[in-house]
Amino acid sequence: MTSVEAPRNGAGEVELFRGLVECSQDAILTKTLDGRITFWNTAAQRLYGYRAAEVVGQHIGLLIPPDLKDEEAGLLERIGRGERIEHYETRRATSDGRVLDVDVSLWPVRTREGVIHAACSITRDLTDRKKAERELVELYAQQRHIALALRLMGASEQIPGARAATRYLPSTQGQGVGGDWLDLIDLGAGRVGVIIGDVMGRGLDAAVVMGQLRSAARALALAGTPPCELIQTLDTFTRGLPEQFVTCTYLEADPALGEVTACSAGHLPVWLIAPDATVSALPVPTGIPLGVGGVPHQEVRLPLRAGTTLALCTDGLVETPRSDIETQLGLLTTTLSDVFRTSTDLEDAADHVLHTLLPDTATYSDDVTLLLVGFPTAPLDTAAVDLAGEPSSVPEGRRFLHRTLRMWGLTALADTAMLLASELLTNAVCHARGPLTLRVWYSVRELGVEVVDGSTPRPRARLADNAEENGRGLMLVEALADAWGTRPDTVGKTVWFTLLTAPAPAVVARPAGVAAGARGRAETVGVPEPAS
């Protein structure tokens, strides 16, 4: 756009120029450098509601809202310096008091001698466009809020004793939220459930499916459903959803047993970072995605060393338009190894992984989800005894528990622990198949007592009638234990309870010949028995 001069070649060209200006659909006016209006076309009259006779000679401030009064002086000052101002978005007032969103372009008007003596302004009404933009922004915000609410529904809890760092970067395309989710679940008795999943696609549809699957998975995990059964149930559930492609991995970590049980439905590998910073993929069969059906998923039980960290992610971290996924997986392995050689801080490690795999970018074509979790350290000690499935095992188990708690310096918990253990053992003797195993462990946070039997039906608390002599045992456990529950075992089931421990008890020296975690008879612990 060039500076404007008055036409040089006679009145005919002036009239032609005025005719063109009058035909313009944009409001055109000229004004002096002190803001007095000198020209006003028909489109300006339509836009602002003033006739030319009403405004020519008036100050341009007539059209400026009160909160923008200082704006015009700055614009005219720039015009006086010879600047051109193009597509400046602002607001202007009409004769009936309405305020319009407008796009203004201004440029200097020069005399034949090149002296700037006025400014020409072209104004276009943006009110309808701005209104549509605001409505779109509001709609986007509403949809994003719904999608985020679905993702955050049942937000992951803090697991006592567990270290975790999570990163979620929503896609910058579309509605900004997709179907990625992760969850950490306190399963009780020192065990931790971890799930990560990805509903293919983006937007509200993917987020709705993700919210359903996450809620279902959390409920199944808290009910003690083992990984393979949980994945199979989600598979059946997903088959009822239209055209969904979902991958996910669920694993349970049991630091007391030093093992992790995992099942995958077509998801990316889980990386295991050993205490020496060695990184390897957890050998879990990949399986097929949820909703496909026809092929059973496989569960594996693997050792879990104390101090191990697991890394889980969705494909947004390793699958980008500019790189090969295998190359990115290799880079992730190398990055995890490098960062854990120098630091065990999971937050720093998560930041380093994102910076390395997704450098110098603020845009993501897919959701990016990363989870680093260091499981609670192994218990300070464990002990176990095998018992027959007969009534005499109840006092035998109670004596074993009392001796063990004395040895660990936890006698303050002995009365409650023995009472509840008696109830679990009595239930197992009366309603389950033997042999039984009584296992005890403790950490800096809690004492755990578990009874393993050979029957699969799980007990549940119930309200007994006044005339019944039994049926109150589990209600007692529920009332006195800090937590209790049941879970399937390899040969039957485990019923457990936990009691919070006092601060860091002193450990009494173990008698010679008794190994940590040994599964022995009660007689192997050389501590006097209490009266039964």
Side-chain angles (χ1 to χ4, degrees):
M1 188 179 295
T2 59
S3 298
V4 173
E5 298 180 4
R8 299 174 183 237
N9 298 322
E13 291 191 7
V14 171
E15 290 305 316
L16 176 62
F17 180 75
R18 284 181 175 273
L20 291 173
V21 171
E22 286 296 330
C23 290
S24 173
Q25 296 300 306
D26 295 326
I28 300 176
L29 61 89
T30 60
K31 53 193 172 185
T32 61
L33 294 182
D34 61 359
R36 297 290 169 180
I37 299 171
T38 57
F39 177 78
W40 187 266
N41 76 342
T42 303
Q45 178 177 326
R46 290 196 300 267
L47 180 63
Y48 294 112
Y50 295 104
R51 299 190 305 274
E54 295 177 290
V55 294
V56 171
Q58 298 291 322
H59 193 272
I60 193 69
L62 180 72
L63 308 177
I64 300 176
D67 60 326
L68 295 177
K69 288 299 184 183
D70 296 334
E71 177 186 83
E72 183 66 18
L75 293 175
L76 288 173
E77 182 180 348
R78 292 171 62 184
I79 292 296
R81 295 197 301 264
E83 289 187 41
R84 291 176 300 184
I85 303 171
E86 299 184 12
H87 300 296
Y88 179 79
E89 293 190 5
T90 184
R91 289 175 290 117
R92 291 293 180 259
T94 66
S95 62
D96 59 3
R98 291 179 297 120
V99 176
L100 307 177
D101 292 300
V102 296
D103 176 292
V104 180
S105 293
L106 304 104
W107 65 94
V109 178
R110 301 177 185 271
T111 65
R112 293 183 178 182
E113 290 76 23
V115 177
I116 299 172
H117 70 98
C120 185
S121 169
I122 296 181
T123 303
R124 181 169 297 172
D125 186 6
L126 300 180
T127 303
D128 290 342
R129 195 193 83 185
K130 287 290 187 179
K131 180 181 178 182
E133 288 176 354
R134 285 191 292 268
E135 290 174 348
L136 285 174
V137 169
E138 183 178 352
L139 179 61
Y140 173 84
Q142 290 174 350
Q143 291 178 333
R144 181 176 173 82
H145 174 75
I146 293 170
L148 283 172
L150 287 168
R151 181 182 180 274
L152 296 174
M153 184 171 50
S156 295
E157 59 196 291
Q158 293 294 321
I159 306 298
R163 300 181 305 121
T166 62
R167 295 292 184 271
Y168 173 71
L169 303 176
S171 167
T172 54
Q173 298 182 5
Q175 295 168 339
V177 175
D180 288 15
W181 89 93
L182 56 86
D183 208 353
L184 291 175
I185 307 164
D186 186 354
L187 300 176
R191 296 160 56 251
V192 180
V194 182
I195 189 163
I196 190 166
D198 185 0
V199 180
M200 298 299 132
R202 291 188 298 274
L204 194 56
D205 290 344
V208 168
V209 173
M210 174 271 297
Q212 291 176 301
L213 289 172
R214 177 175 180 169
S215 297
R218 171 170 271 267
L220 290 168
L222 289 172
T225 309
C228 187
E229 185 179 337
L230 183 146
I231 291 293
Q232 290 291 155
T233 304
L234 292 184
D235 178 68
T236 302
F237 177 80
T238 307
R239 273 182 254 171
L241 302 175
E243 300 180 2
Q244 293 297 338
F245 186 84
V246 183
T247 66
C248 116
T249 293
Y250 175 62
L251 58 88
E252 290 181 0
D254 190 338
L257 288 178
E259 64 184 24
V260 59
T261 307
C263 185
S264 174
H267 202 74
L268 290 170
V270 177
W271 282 265
L272 185 149
I273 303 104
D276 63 357
T278 302
V279 179
S280 58
L282 204 65
V284 180
T286 302
I288 60 173
L290 300 179
V292 176
V295 180
H297 295 89
Q298 300 180 58
E299 177 180 291
V300 293
R301 195 180 299 259
L302 303 165
L304 180 70
R305 294 171 55 191
T308 295
T309 301
L310 295 185
L312 303 90
C313 69
T314 54
D315 57 7
L317 181 67
V318 294
E319 190 173 22
T320 67
R322 300 179 301 277
S323 60
D324 176 71
I325 188 170
E326 293 300 328
T327 301
Q328 290 293 95
L329 290 174
L331 177 59
L332 175 58
T333 301
T334 303
T335 303
L336 289 170
S337 180
D338 290 344
V339 71
F340 277 93
R341 281 198 185 97
T342 58
S343 173
T344 58
D345 187 283
L346 298 188
E347 296 293 338
D348 289 345
D351 290 338
H352 186 74
V353 168
L354 290 182
H355 177 74
T356 303
L357 270 75
L358 300 171
D360 304 322
T361 181
T363 60
Y364 309 97
S365 59
D366 195 3
D367 292 356
V368 177
T369 306
L370 171 67
L371 168 63
L372 301 177
V373 54
F375 293 103
T377 56
L380 298 177
D381 213 337
T382 63
V385 60
D386 294 328
L387 302 168
E390 55 191 37
S392 62
S393 294
V394 177
E396 183 180 353
R398 190 167 58 241
R399 289 192 296 269
F400 168 79
L401 178 59
H402 187 270
R403 291 194 300 270
T404 303
L405 296 183
R406 283 185 58 190
M407 183 178 67
W408 290 346
L410 297 175
T411 52
L413 300 176
D415 289 344
T416 302
M418 287 194 297
L419 173 62
L420 301 186
S422 294
E423 295 296 338
L424 298 191
L425 288 168
T426 300
N427 271 353
V429 168
C430 294
H431 305 293
R433 294 195 306 268
L436 312 177
T437 298
L438 174 63
R439 191 162 68 92
V440 194
W441 55 268
Y442 85 103
S443 66
V444 294
R445 177 178 178 268
E446 60 190 355
L447 167 73
V449 178
E450 304 179 357
V451 175
V452 183
D453 63 54
S455 297
T456 54
R458 302 190 205 176
R460 59 183 179 86
R462 66 180 179 87
L463 294 174
D465 292 336
N466 292 333
E468 291 184 275
E469 295 184 0
N470 55 21
R472 298 174 179 82
L474 289 181
M475 295 296 293
L476 185 65
V477 174
E478 176 135 8
L480 297 181
D482 289 294
W484 79 279
T486 68
R487 66 177 184 268
D489 205 270
T490 52
V491 295
K493 67 176 179 295
T494 297
V495 187
W496 56 268
F497 69 84
T498 58
L499 299 171
L500 295 181
T501 59
V507 179
V508 178
R510 181 187 303 277
V514 180
R519 296 171 64 88
R521 304 297 298 175
E523 290 73 20
T524 61
V525 183
V527 181
E529 298 180 359
S532 58

